[in-house]
Amino acid sequence: MKEWDRLITVEEMEAATERLLETGKKVGADSWQQRVKNQTPHCGFGESGTCCRICSMGPCRITPKAPRGICGCDVHGIVARNYLRFTAGGSATHSDHGRAICHTLYLAKEGGNYQVKDPEKLKRIATEWGIETEGKDIYDLAHEVAETGLMEYGKPFGTQRFLKRAPEARQKIWEEQGIAPRAIDREVSQSLHMTHMGCSSLPEALIRQSLRAGLSDGWGGSMMGTEFSDVLFGTPKPVDTNGNLGVMEKDMVNIVVHGHDPSLSEMVVLYAQDPEMIALAKEHGAKGINVCGVCCTANEVAMRHGIPMAGNFLQQENVVLTGACEAIVVDVQCIFPALGPLSKCFHTKFITTSPIARMPDSDFIEFHEETAGENAKAIVKMAIENFDNRNQDLVFIPEMKTKCTVGYSVEAIKKCLDGVTNSHVDELGTTKPLIDCVKAGVLRGAVAMVGCNNPKVRPDTFHIELMKKLLENDIIVIVSGCSAQAAAKAGLLDKEAAKYCGEGLKRVCKLVDIPPVLHMGSCVDISRMMVLAADIAKDWGIDICQVPVVGCAPEWMSEKAVSIGNYVVATGIETFLGVNPYTKGSTEVEGLLQGTVQDWVGAKFVVDTDLDSLVEKMMACIEEKRVALGI
């Protein structure tokens, strides 16, 4: 095993957290660590998926003495229905994010709060969708594309437009298996209808709909959220920034943006750079304004503006515990309601902005695209004025800060690959140089690592330790969401981390000038990974399920992650989980998800809660794909 002495370890991060928790105890603050203890042991029926509460005759819990619910549904139907409902919640959530971005694009105008930053990408999408671009004002075109995108949510006929991005063989599989997603809202609605009392209890039907609902997210709502964010805010390209809690500044107004929707965070970043606001901060005794991020909002602003990333999901309380956070500003998803009472133990303003995420003990400044500038300026001003209330005796910022290079969109990756091609004879703008490295064995393959933190797994450990092992074995890693921030905190998004890789990956990193772990963005940006996998398969002349790539969500926790897992598997990418998806109560459902679906879509789920075993299975899967390809 290589020595990783230059990287920040999980132990170091845990020591910093313990120091912050000491501050919390002084002021009577609660923490997720204590709440986990209070909730342990967890409900065994819930963890196995064997509790049904979809009607009021129960709730029914399946046991050997009571093998069926009151309606007669057996354990396999109950577990499958719960799994589909979990998926529908995640698909609805990510797709609603995409819908919000569609609305923002529809409101874009010259000189407005939101403008088109990547007109060429807008034109490419319009052409892809059969929308005429010639001679049109760019904002008229934006509105037409946005309206067409909004119709994807409720159109009465047809399937999702972006499905055409997949290889023809993959499209054929979706059609033959009856899982090609139609209107996004229809798949979510049908999922809820299927799981209503007295409807589907056949596990195969429920799992097929889970795949379909997931695909409506990954190749529908999430993909539009990603693509239209690029049009509005700029397509990411490599940019240097910093990660971990040390990015907070003791002499500056610290504003932490947290959540998932970049429409809000983009405006906060803009107004934090306003000379008027900076001058106001100095009037209040600060040296300036420091914006940093948590969770997927952090990824969004990092890859477009180089805004530093303070941490991921289970560090959201830590930024308040530093005592140096003037405001934590949230939009939607993955936000602890605990931030309200926690902030009241300090001077921090907990500012909620969305009607979708209303929480107690917060200052609510409702955010609207039409008044985005006004809303953002009010938020920044509130944070600045709160600097006066900071208690310096409670301030402790851990001295942890790593260098990161982020922003590897599909376009950016291809641009990097163009730098190592012979422009006189090779085609530019393809993934062929990457394919050549894999064929030659210089790279064994790739792992797309995604997902959350989960207290059931020692936070960040699976992410970081799996990455280390993969890199040592010449497997490049692409990351998004909280997994990306785990890599950032450890130092794995630094180009210098290449020196810890196997010889093949090390050479690739030096030649292409990339870090060994590529940051692709937020959770919705897993759709970028699907596009990249599709492009690799098309450039190679094979289907996605044949490419030596696997997916991994080692610390997942949310409904969104289940939706993601379903669309990644349905796309043909074997997906490895480090947390059980509440299906162990049914051998039939586990048999479908971890076996039968491979016959349908060429990939399946693999669940293993042991770190060493999980990584060995991932590497074995990659090698099996190589053998099948004869490379």
Side-chain angles (χ1 to χ4, degrees), residues 53 264 280 298 337 351 494 609:
R53 52 173 298 278
L264 168 66
L280 181 62
I351 302 173
D494 185 357
T609 58

Side-chain angles (χ1 to χ4, degrees), residues 241-382:
T241 185
N242 295 291
N244 221 321
L245 283 169
V247 302
M248 299 186 73
E249 299 285 352
K250 65 178 182 179
D251 297 324
M252 299 180 77
V253 174
N254 287 299
I255 301 174
V256 178
V257 289
H258 172 22
H260 288 76
D261 188 345
S263 298
L264 168 66
S265 53
E266 284 281 327
M267 287 289 114
V268 172
V269 169
L270 177 66
Y271 278 89
Q273 297 168 348
D274 185 335
E276 178 188 345
M277 293 292 99
I278 294 171
L280 181 62
K282 290 179 178 178
E283 286 177 21
H284 283 265
K287 289 184 177 179
I289 304 170
N290 177 49
V291 179
C292 54
V294 167
C295 269
C296 281
T297 289
N299 288 311
E300 295 279 3
V301 293
M303 65 186 176
R304 293 193 174 95
H305 304 288
I307 296 297
M309 300 180 288
N312 46 9
F313 176 63
L314 286 180
Q315 277 194 294
Q316 60 186 278
E317 291 177 324
N318 286 16
V319 296
V320 178
L321 288 167
T322 63
C325 177
E326 273 60 60
I328 182 164
V329 186
V330 304
D331 44 73
V332 294
Q333 302 170 28
C334 297
I335 300 149
F336 278 179
L339 289 175
L342 175 63
S343 294
K344 287 188 174 299
C345 294
F346 294 86
H347 75 298
T348 305
K349 295 287 186 180
F350 175 42
I351 302 173
T352 53
T353 61
S354 172
I356 292 173
R358 295 295 306 272
M359 297 185 188
D361 297 315
S362 70
D363 291 288
F364 183 56
I365 299 178
E366 188 165 358
F367 178 80
H368 294 283
E369 288 84 355
E370 296 89 340
T371 57
E374 177 186 330
N375 299 150
K377 188 172 184 178
I379 288 168
V380 173
K381 188 170 184 287
M382 180 183 288

